[in-house]
Each structure stands twice: as structure tokens, then as C-alpha cells.
Amino acid sequence: MEQDILMQMKHIVVRFPGVIALNDVSISINKASVHAVMGENGAGKSTLMKVLIGDRTPDCGEIFFEGRPIEKIASTGKHKDISMIYQELNPIKDMTIAENIFMGRFPEKAKGIVDLPKTYELCQKIFDEWDLPYDPRQKMNTLSIANMQMIEIIKAISKKSKLIIMDEPTSAITPKEVEKLFSFIRELKNNGISVIYISHKLDEIYQIADHVTILRDGEKKKECPIEEITREEMITCMVGRDIKNVYYKKEVDIGEEILNVKGLGRKNVFSDVSFSLRKGEVLGFSGVMGAGRTEIMRCIFGLDQATEGSIFVEGKKQNVKKPVDAINAGIAMLTEDRKGDGLILCRSIKENVSLASLKKMSRYGFVDKKKEDDKVNKAVEELMIKSHNTSVAANNLSGGNQQKVVFAKWLLKDPKILILDEPTRGIDVGAKTEIYHIISRLAEKGVAVIFISSELPELLGVSDRVAVVASGRLVDILDRKDATQERIMELAVKGE
């Protein structure tokens, strides 16, 4: 019914040079509801949200909020009743939690004079209300990515908007924090607030959403109550094809040992970690957020310094003090923060892909441009990176294609060992399946893969063995035939 509708976007069209990003898209959001917006990376979800919050002016179309038209929102500023939690975190790390939450709306002692004690008091009141364990005076640079994500969520909730957009809000938080977020969302609904929820995790959508809108290639393909569409129908609608085996894994012959980690530790972070890895093997790493999975891999790759233990590659002890030492030993790593660590966003696909291999493409200090073009074009074609040419800047690509650019960069190095830290975080089901195929092809070529993931179904789907980490210790390593979600969680929780 018309009186139940909070917001409507009608016949939205957005054109970029050479492409229509949104083609006649309409969407209605009910009051006190959770509306999921689904689609592959590049489907138009982010562009649609940018139009809604005023970051982009549409070429055509109208927006209505509570029955009244929103006109020229991009030129007049953000709508006070709409707030957004962005997937890509952008906190001011040298400021406190409270300062980040109240940025742009500080309480004042007098005109232009910030009342910091009042800021901390109001922030603590929010934390008490939601039973959160944070200190308002703590600096953001001391927080994990998961905790930064939670602060962004609290920031949006604290504005008391009538509509909150959440873009992949659970991409970097623990299962326990997901439960807390869902309790927030249910409470928001009870208070008459609506949520637009963007996620690639289908399980979450079915837990929390009332309605769903599916976009593909800039067009709306379906809008319906969540109970009227199955998971299989949703996937097919998003990708335009039937994906039967989402977690693709080809059985390959496992070769000889290539990596041996013995008693590795970093003071006050993790200790006594030992495991081995063989050619062609995919070794999954599981554990709750903060268990130490990433920290272990950062030491193996030389991003952080181990304080104890040894690393052997093909039987030879490696003195890994910095990433170049690991790279020279044949180790490559895709970090969990692809935009912060993996890419130079303002540079082109070509520059990003060739960056780690320029020495191989150079002679007498000069890059062989033809050789660079040939190798980059081959990698782009092999990984099916979607772009009309390799001169496109990385920040113009979808999340899935950005991740494949990072893959391409390291594949040009022909690594013996590839560490993947949350390689499918924040990308759609179609791009995920393509990445599983890439991993399988690498294993077939004899590359040894370490695969860190917080999503147990994908971990079980692509791994030969699964290592479980808890409280900075490697608790157990399970063979594929013995690994189940229940067993992994039991080990992870017991270890914590």
C-alpha cells in the first residue's frame, strides 16, 4: 500500500562514457523493513545507492521520500534522513572512536567550539544502550578491521536516520558480531526504521531481509518478498546462468612438501605454529576473527617480524625479514585489504599487473613495453578481467575485477606458494566461482595454496585440509574427509 512506502526511486538512468550503468531502474522501500539489493559486482548496486544518497546525479528519474520528491539532492547535500555504511572503510585513524562517530555533528560549548567531554559522554551512552565494549577515547588506529566496521555501523545508527543503507556490513566482522548486528537491525525495524542491505552472502539475506531487488548489468531483473524466491533462482537471476557447483575444486595429484613452518611465533600475538604444505595442495585456515590467521601469514610473507621459529621452502631455511625476502623464496600473498595493500587504485590495470614483475620485463633498466603488454594482456585474458582495455584505472573496476587484478599481478611472478587472505570477501557469487576455478588451475600446475576464509562452506569446498587457529595457536589440521562446519567451529570455540 502507498502509505507503507518510505522511499521510491523511479526510472533511474545513469550513463557513463560508453556504458549505461543504470537503465530504467525503479525500487520501493517499505517503512520498518529490510530490503536486500543483490547483484554481481558491476551490476549497478553502488551506483544506485550513490544516486540515492546524493553522490551522483542521475541522467533521468525521480526519487520520493515519504511521498515527497527529492530534487537535485547531489547539489544540495545529503538527505538528513538517509545514512550509509560503506563497504570500504574510511575512518580517521588518528582520532578517537567518539570523534569518528560524531564527525561533522559535534556537540558545542559555544558557536564553533567542540565540547569534547560531552562528545565522549554521548558516545558512551550509545555503547551502554547497545551493550558494546568500546572505549570512546580509544584511537581508531588501535582497532582491528572488524572493530572499525562495527564503529561505522554504530556511527550510522547513532544518526537516527529513517533509512540506513548497509553495504556489505558483515564483510569483516565475526559471527558473534553478525548476531549483534542482526539484533541492531531487528531493533531498528521495531523502531520504524528501514534498512537497505547489500550483501553477497545468501544465508544472511534469508535471515534478515523482508524483500529483495536483484540487479544485473544495470537493469532490475526481479523485486519480490524474500519468501517468493529460492537461493537457486536468486543466483541464476544475478549471474544470468545456472551455477550448479559454486565451490569448484578439481582433484589433482598432491606433490612433495614445499613449505615447512616450525614453531613460528610473534610475541603477544601467536606462538608455536607448525605446519607443512605440499605442491598442488590447498590448505584452508579457519578461526574466529582475531584468532591469529592473518598474523601468521603476515610473518610468513615478511610484512611483520616473527620473534621465534623457522620457515623452510623446498627444504631450505629462509630468513624472511621483509616481503622481498618471501617473494625471492617464491612466496606471494593477497592480503585481506586489496585496496590498501594490493592495488595502486589511481594507476591502470596494466601498471598494477606488471608492478611486481618489472625486473623480468626490463633490459638495461628499461621496461620492454611490448613484453609488458603481451604478458599483461595474457593474464587479463586468462583471468577474464572485465574492462575494455588495460589503461583503465583500478578504482574504476568492480570488487571482483579488482581482486582478479591482484591475482594477475602475483601470477606473473610464477609463485611456488600463494597465500590468499579472504580472497572472496565482498565479491559476488559469479566472481567467487571464477576465483575458485583460478585456485584449482594453480593447484593443477603444482602451486601450493594457503586459503584463509571466514566462510566455512567455501573453505570446505576448495580445501584439501583445514587448519583451525584459536587464540594464536594452531589447534588442529583436519583432512578434507573429516572436516565439517560443526567440527571446525567446535575446535575454534574450544580453543578460544
Side-chain angles (χ1 to χ4, degrees):
M1 296 176 65
E2 193 71 28
Q3 63 265 30
D4 294 329
I5 295 175
L6 175 69
M7 187 281 298
Q8 287 179 296
M9 303 179 78
K10 294 184 176 183
H11 309 295
I12 303 296
V13 176
V14 174
R15 297 184 181 93
F16 296 143
V19 65
I20 299 178
L22 292 171
N23 187 14
D24 193 28
V25 174
S26 299
I27 182 173
S28 296
I29 308 298
N30 289 343
K31 295 175 182 176
S33 71
V34 178
H35 195 117
V37 177
M38 305 288 288
E40 290 190 281
N41 290 106
K45 306 185 301 295
S46 295
T47 304
L48 188 66
M49 294 304 109
K50 285 178 181 177
V51 170
L52 176 56
I53 65 173
D55 278 348
R56 178 169 290 280
T57 303
D59 294 282
C60 300
E62 299 174 290
I63 305 174
F64 296 86
F65 198 90
E66 294 183 318
R68 296 185 297 274
I70 300 175
E71 296 179 350
K72 298 181 180 179
I73 184 172
S75 61
T76 58
K78 304 293 188 291
H79 195 289
K80 64 183 178 61
D81 286 322
I82 303 173
S83 60
M84 181 166 180
I85 302 165
Y86 293 89
Q87 179 185 353
E88 305 298 339
L89 303 179
N90 193 27
I92 302 174
K93 293 185 178 181
D94 289 329
M95 298 182 76
T96 65
I97 291 175
E99 288 168 330
N100 271 268
I101 287 177
F102 284 93
M103 181 64 62
R105 53 193 182 100
F106 287 109
E108 296 180 343
K109 294 179 181 178
K111 185 70 173 176
I113 301 174
V114 173
D115 188 340
L116 269 181
K118 186 68 173 177
T119 302
Y120 293 133
E121 180 187 330
L122 291 173
C123 188
Q124 187 61 59
K125 187 176 179 181
I126 294 168
F127 291 164
D128 290 343
E129 181 182 351
W130 293 99
D131 190 27
L132 293 166
Y134 302 110
D135 178 356
R137 291 174 172 79
Q138 187 176 355
K139 289 286 187 73
M140 291 293 289
N141 59 16
T142 65
L143 299 179
S144 67
I145 289 177
N147 284 323
M148 286 183 191
Q149 183 100 52
M150 289 300 292
I151 296 305
E152 284 296 310
I153 292 166
I154 294 301
K155 181 178 178 179
I157 290 173
S158 70
K159 292 179 180 177
K160 301 188 183 302
S161 302
K162 294 179 181 179
L163 175 62
I164 299 176
I165 304 163
M166 298 186 177
D167 189 359
E168 295 285 351
T170 65
S171 63
I173 62 177
T174 67
K176 185 176 180 181
E177 289 165 330
V178 172
E179 290 178 17
K180 175 74 77 174
L181 172 62
F182 285 178
S183 74
F184 286 171
I185 293 173
R186 293 183 184 105
E187 187 66 26
L188 291 171
K189 280 178 60 179
N190 290 339
N191 292 330
I193 296 168
S194 299
V195 174
I196 294 177
Y197 193 92
I198 302 172
S199 177
H200 296 303
K201 299 178 181 179
L202 299 187
D203 290 341
E204 292 182 0
I205 297 302
Y206 281 96
Q207 282 186 65
I208 203 68
D210 301 302
H211 291 79
V212 61
T213 293
I214 300 173
L215 302 179
R216 186 172 80 236
D217 298 330
E219 297 182 351
K220 186 173 80 172
K221 294 299 178 181
K222 193 173 185 67
E223 184 174 320
C224 66
I226 193 68
E227 63 270 14
E228 292 183 7
I229 186 168
T230 66
R231 290 169 59 97
E232 292 73 21
E233 289 169 341
M234 192 180 293
I235 291 172
T236 300
C237 198
M238 282 193 291
V239 303
R241 62 191 186 279
D242 188 14
I243 297 180
K244 289 188 169 63
N245 298 313
V246 176
Y247 304 114
Y248 176 83
K249 178 172 176 56
K250 185 174 182 179
E251 296 302 323
V252 302
D253 293 329
I254 305 297
E256 61 191 20
E257 179 183 281
I258 190 168
L259 175 69
N260 195 326
V261 176
K262 293 184 177 179
L264 198 69
R266 178 172 168 81
K267 191 174 181 181
N268 299 324
V269 180
F270 66 90
S271 62
D272 196 26
V273 170
S274 299
F275 66 91
S276 64
L277 180 67
R278 295 187 291 167
K279 293 180 180 179
E281 181 181 26
V282 180
L283 176 61
F285 265 74
S286 182
V288 301
M289 200 70 67
R293 304 167 306 171
T294 294
E295 289 76 9
I296 293 166
M297 299 309 151
R298 287 179 63 88
C299 284
I300 292 173
F301 191 60
L303 289 166
D304 295 325
Q305 292 290 300
T307 52
E308 60 184 10
S310 305
I311 300 168
F312 297 84
V313 176
E314 295 182 317
K316 184 179 178 181
K317 187 175 181 180
Q318 304 296 322
N319 185 25
V320 180
K321 299 295 183 184
K322 48 190 181 297
V324 70
D325 300 326
I327 292 168
N328 290 338
I331 304 172
M333 180 174 177
L334 276 76
T335 62
E336 63 179 333
D337 183 3
R338 64 173 172 261
K339 292 197 172 185
D341 300 327
L343 293 167
I344 302 175
L345 291 170
C346 63
R347 310 305 293 184
S348 68
I349 295 171
K350 175 181 171 180
E351 290 168 305
N352 274 281
V353 171
S354 64
L355 184 62
S357 304
L358 288 175
K359 194 173 181 180
K360 291 168 59 177
M361 304 173 190
S362 303
R363 192 176 183 188
Y364 305 122
F366 293 94
V367 176
D368 184 331
K369 292 296 183 182
K370 185 178 185 307
K371 192 172 184 179
E372 182 185 22
D373 285 338
D374 290 345
K375 286 188 174 292
V376 169
N377 289 337
K378 184 179 178 182
V380 167
E381 184 179 340
E382 183 180 349
L383 299 186
M384 295 184 289
I385 297 170
K386 295 174 184 174
S387 177
H388 55 277
N389 64 62
T390 60
S391 65
V392 172
N395 60 5
N396 289 328
L397 299 176
S398 67
N401 283 302
Q402 285 180 344
Q403 191 69 303
K404 287 194 278 188
V405 168
V406 184
F407 260 97
K409 176 179 74 173
W410 288 119
L411 295 190
L412 283 192
K413 291 291 293 180
D414 294 321
K416 300 171 185 175
I417 300 156
L418 182 60
I419 302 169
L420 306 175
D421 192 354
E422 300 283 6
T424 66
R425 174 178 288 162
I427 63 176
D428 59 78
V429 66
K432 283 183 179 183
T433 302
E434 290 175 7
I435 284 177
Y436 304 144
H437 278 263
I438 293 168
I439 293 168
S440 196
R441 290 201 302 271
L442 290 170
E444 194 174 12
K445 292 177 181 177
V447 177
V449 178
I450 293 174
F451 185 90
I452 300 174
S453 176
S454 299
E455 295 187 38
L456 292 181
E458 76 169 4
L459 203 64
L460 295 169
V462 303
S463 303
D464 296 293
R465 293 185 296 153
V466 178
V468 183
V469 180
S471 296
R473 296 179 300 109
L474 203 162
V475 179
D476 202 354
I477 299 179
L478 305 173
D479 286 330
R480 181 183 178 89
K481 58 181 173 54
D482 301 321
T484 63
Q485 292 192 49
E486 292 76 18
R487 179 61 178 149
I488 290 170
M489 286 307 300
E490 179 187 348
L491 288 168
V493 173
K494 186 177 179 181
E496 289 293 327

